[in-house]
Amino acid sequence: ILLISLLIIKFVGPPPGAFKVRIGIVTLMLAIALYSGVPLAKTLASLQSSVAVPINTLPESDSRRHAFHRVHATSTALWTVNIALGLISLAWYARE
């Protein structure tokens, strides 16, 4: 929606300041969301389904537990970056 809105704003009136940077931010946000939502989510789901008990109940030495926590930490970091980019975009528009 953000990407489409930016393009509409550009073609309906004068483009917003630093248009290319804003398109880059929104495109990066979309790429992060797609990566987190598809391959990372599938990996987490497959790791969860590979055990019959909750991941946290596995022994500390279990490689599936470490793999799950590593992928989960990556997903969390990517969503944090996505939220930060969204807030930057929002602040940019509010400032104008």
Side-chain angles (χ1 to χ4, degrees):
I1 291 174
L2 286 172
L3 190 58
I4 292 169
S5 297
L6 273 173
L7 292 172
I8 289 171
I9 289 170
K10 178 183 179 177
F11 293 115
V12 170
F19 177 74
K20 290 181 182 179
V21 174
R22 290 180 187 200
I23 287 288
I25 289 172
V26 172
T27 304
L28 180 60
M29 288 174 63
L30 181 60
I32 289 171
L34 287 173
Y35 180 69
S36 294
V38 179
L40 284 183
K42 284 183 182 179
T43 303
L44 287 172
S46 70
L47 285 168
Q48 285 176 323
S49 66
S50 71
V51 295
V53 295
I55 296 288
N56 285 335
T57 61
L58 294 173
E60 289 286 332
S61 60
D62 194 316
S63 63
R64 295 171 296 180
R65 180 178 176 144
H66 291 288
F68 179 85
H69 288 298
R70 185 179 60 253
V71 174
H72 187 266
T74 300
S75 178
T76 302
L78 288 173
W79 281 110
T80 301
V81 168
N82 221 8
I83 290 169
L85 290 172
L87 290 173
I88 289 169
S89 292
L90 181 64
W92 205 339
Y93 281 106
R95 195 179 73 210
E96 288 182 350

